Amino acid sequence: MTERKRIIEVIPYNPEWKTEFEKIKKMISSYIGDLILAIEHVGSTSVEGLSAKPIIDLDVVIESYDVFPSIVERLEQEGYEHEGNLGTEGREAFRRIFNDGCMKYHLYVCPKVGRGYLEHIAFRDYLRSNEQARKEYELLKIRLAETYRFDIDSYSNHKTEFVKDILKKTLYNASFNNGQKA
């Protein structure tokens, strides 16, 4: 018997993703709102008009890791499992261990100066403000989803150069940082 594999599916933008984000944000805030600075909708579902895998990405922003042990404890009490940084410094992943009635989502806790958070925001904001880049990224994602339908690692790895190019234009560009971003 063959093992059932996850199918990578990129679908057209759905305005309901904003509503789902707000629903998840409210739930997470009820658990840890007093310990955090913000909850940001990041990833492709946060970019209006961009086709995406139907998975909400959320960055829970913290001042520093001082509050992190309390966050882990509270989230574990609410049915989340801490998965570590999954290879990205400055971003701690959590997985819901039972169905909470929300659409699928990825939950990350990030310090406000953490690389994971800063890169998510820079990439999201660039795609939101640059229609040409948004269209290029969408076409890339659709092509990769077709090519690597059952291989999430290859799908993700083949997006890396595009993402790095955007981050070089934004977060890692000295003139951009000196002129537009503090």
Side-chain angles (χ1 to χ4, degrees):
M1 189 166 161
T2 49
E3 180 182 330
R4 189 179 162 129
K5 293 186 177 188
R6 177 176 151 207
I7 296 173
I8 299 164
E9 181 183 30
V10 174
I11 64 173
Y13 177 79
N14 184 340
E16 286 298 311
W17 292 339
K18 286 182 185 178
T19 304
E20 282 297 309
F21 164 73
E22 290 298 332
K23 177 180 165 184
I24 300 163
K25 177 182 176 180
K26 183 177 180 181
M27 181 178 63
I28 300 300
S29 290
S30 74
Y31 307 148
I32 58 174
D34 60 317
L35 300 173
I36 66 174
L37 300 175
I39 299 175
E40 293 279 350
H41 188 185
V42 296
S44 294
T45 60
S46 71
V47 180
E48 194 168 320
L50 179 62
S51 294
K53 295 189 317 294
I55 303 168
I56 304 290
D57 290 318
L58 301 98
D59 280 357
V60 173
V61 186
I62 57 176
E63 181 71 35
S64 72
Y65 274 105
D66 293 345
V67 296
F68 189 68
S70 296
I71 288 173
V72 171
E73 181 180 331
R74 287 192 198 175
L75 288 177
E76 285 177 349
Q77 289 171 355
E78 298 298 335
Y80 291 85
E81 176 181 67
H82 180 219
E83 298 180 297
N85 69 17
L86 302 179
T88 301
E89 292 300 318
R91 181 191 82 178
E92 299 291 328
F94 289 81
R95 180 177 67 87
R96 188 69 175 211
I97 54 177
F98 63 89
N99 186 341
D100 58 13
C102 296
M103 73 179 277
K104 186 171 182 175
Y105 60 95
H106 295 148
L107 177 64
Y108 304 106
V109 174
C110 314
K112 68 180 184 180
V113 296
R115 189 182 103 205
Y117 171 67
L118 296 175
E119 288 181 353
H120 280 165
I121 296 301
F123 189 68
R124 177 199 69 188
D125 290 353
Y126 187 82
L127 290 179
R128 283 180 172 176
S129 66
N130 188 311
E131 184 178 354
Q132 182 61 36
R134 189 168 53 248
K135 286 179 181 178
E136 288 175 26
Y137 191 52
E138 180 174 62
L139 291 174
L140 174 65
K141 289 164 58 81
I142 291 168
R143 182 176 54 80
L144 292 174
E146 290 170 358
T147 303
Y148 302 106
R149 195 152 180 79
F150 301 103
D151 185 354
I152 190 65
D153 291 333
S154 292
Y155 169 85
S156 297
N157 290 338
H158 282 85
K159 294 187 309 179
T160 300
E161 282 309 309
F162 186 91
V163 173
K164 283 182 179 179
D165 287 345
I166 298 300
L167 293 175
K168 285 177 193 171
K169 293 176 186 177
T170 58
L171 188 61
Y172 301 121
N173 180 323
S175 63
F176 179 84
N177 287 325
N178 290 333
Q180 295 182 23
K181 300 273 185 185

